[in-house]
């Protein structure tokens, strides 16, 4: 059974895996690239609201945790795709990767948002956005993308659409801890909900979706009522100062994209688990805590699978 501290989640096997890593008995898995999107819309209550998914309680990994739409990069995200907005080279500079990698991550962000929330950041031209993605034909294409029967490039090409990379803002980057068996190098983006489009729960891993203001979600986490993993609550807290979705997108340019990677070390007979730059997640796990399943670990970040929610895919 997993444990929680406030609204934090961590699996019971973490202490043993952390000790194995510290003792040189565990070889870290190579993280898979992934992307997740914080969809924003302005709310009547003031400030933007963010779209979140709740993972099904029956799921073994982070069941009941809130996250964002997202998932792993698909090899087919490397295919040439109609593109508008900042070039691949510009994205590469912003993200600190090569242009080809930048394309795959941005494509994954847009594709996963459509697959899991029914929202498409694309248009017929560089200055238009699809206004409606409902209907049987759209659902058929979405299902084909999820089933890997259709590539995102072919989907856009068939409909005469271009990916609107300018509608995204890179916000953060988190890498799953080295002691996790499945690891993800997850890029978090912000985007405003396009006018005319609406979200829906299209994810098989989520049992509900909500639009909630970051401050409200963070308060629920602090009370232990909303379960989240560190990247999720950290990005929510980062959104709180902004008065509108447009303000948050404008602020994305200045966000630090240095990867956040959890550190685990043995201090005496105790495990110290920390996320650099995020002191609130620091945990100390004693042998007794580990044996009894008492809170102390923190939690993983990044998607749970190519179709998981992010984060929502997890994070």
């Amino acid at each position: 059974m997993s444990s929680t501290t406030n609204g934090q989640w961590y699996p019971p096997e973490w202490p043993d895996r952390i000790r194995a890593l510290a003792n040189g008995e565990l070889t870290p898995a190579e993280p898979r690239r992934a992307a997740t999107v914080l969809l924003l819309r302005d709310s009547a209550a003031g400030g933007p609201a963010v779209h979140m998914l709740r993972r099904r309680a029956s799921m073994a990994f982070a069941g009941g945790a809130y996250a964002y739409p997202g998932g792993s990069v698909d090899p087919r995200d490397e295919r040439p795709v109609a593109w508008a907005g900042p070039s691949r080279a510009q994205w590469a500079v912003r993200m600190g990767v090569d242009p080809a990698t930048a394309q795959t991550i941005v494509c994954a962000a847009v594709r996963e948002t459509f697959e899991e929330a029914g929202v498409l950041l694309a248009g017929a031209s560089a200055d238009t956005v699809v206004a409606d993605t409902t209907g049987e034909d759209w659902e058929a294409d979405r299902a084909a993308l999820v089933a890997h029967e259709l590539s995102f490039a072919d989907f856009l090409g068939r409909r005469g659409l271009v990916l609107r990379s300018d509608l995204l803002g890179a916000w953060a980057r988190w890498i799953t801890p080295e002691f996790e068996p499945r690891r993800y190098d997850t890029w978090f983006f912000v985007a405003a909900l396009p006018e005319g489009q609406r979200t829906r729960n299209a994810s098989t891993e989520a049992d509900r979706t909500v639009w909630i203001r970051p401050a409200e979600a963070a308060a629920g986490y602090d009370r232990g009522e909303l379960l989240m993993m560190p990247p999720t609550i950290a990005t929510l807290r980062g959104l709180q100062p902004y008065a509108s979705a447009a303000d948050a997108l404008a602020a994305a340019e200045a966000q630090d994209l240095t990867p956040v990677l959890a550190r685990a070390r043995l201090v005496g007979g105790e495990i110290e688990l920390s996320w650099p730059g995020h002191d609130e997640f620091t945990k100390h796990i004693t042998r007794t805590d580990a044996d009894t399943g008492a809170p102390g670990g923190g939690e993983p970040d990044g998607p749970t699978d190519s179709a998981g929610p992010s984060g929502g895919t997890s994070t």
Side-chain angles (χ1 to χ4, degrees), residues 42-58:
D42 292 333
S43 66
V50 61
H51 177 68
M52 303 190 76
L53 315 174
R54 185 178 69 182
R55 293 175 55 75
R56 294 185 184 280
S58 59

Side-chain angles (χ1 to χ4, degrees), residues 143-212:
L145 285 167
V146 172
H148 301 280
E149 298 168 353
L150 178 67
S151 73
F152 193 59
D154 287 344
F155 162 67
L156 293 179
R158 221 165 56 181
R159 288 181 172 271
L161 300 175
V162 296
L163 182 153
R164 289 285 306 276
S165 78
D166 56 313
L167 300 182
L168 289 168
W171 193 263
R173 181 184 181 186
W174 289 65
I175 301 177
T176 309
E178 291 182 329
F179 47 82
E180 271 290 278
R182 290 192 301 176
R183 302 184 63 216
Y184 299 89
D185 182 351
T186 306
W187 296 84
F188 288 73
F189 296 87
V190 291
L193 179 69
E195 187 175 351
Q197 294 193 41
R198 60 180 184 270
T199 57
R200 61 191 178 88
N201 183 9
S203 171
T204 58
E205 294 190 358
D207 61 11
R208 71 173 298 210
T209 63
V210 296
W211 280 98
I212 187 169

Side-chain angles (χ1 to χ4, degrees), residues 285-306:
I285 308 171
T286 65
R287 172 65 69 178
T288 300
D289 289 336
D291 291 342
T292 61
E299 63 259 53
D301 53 275
T304 60
D305 209 335
S306 60

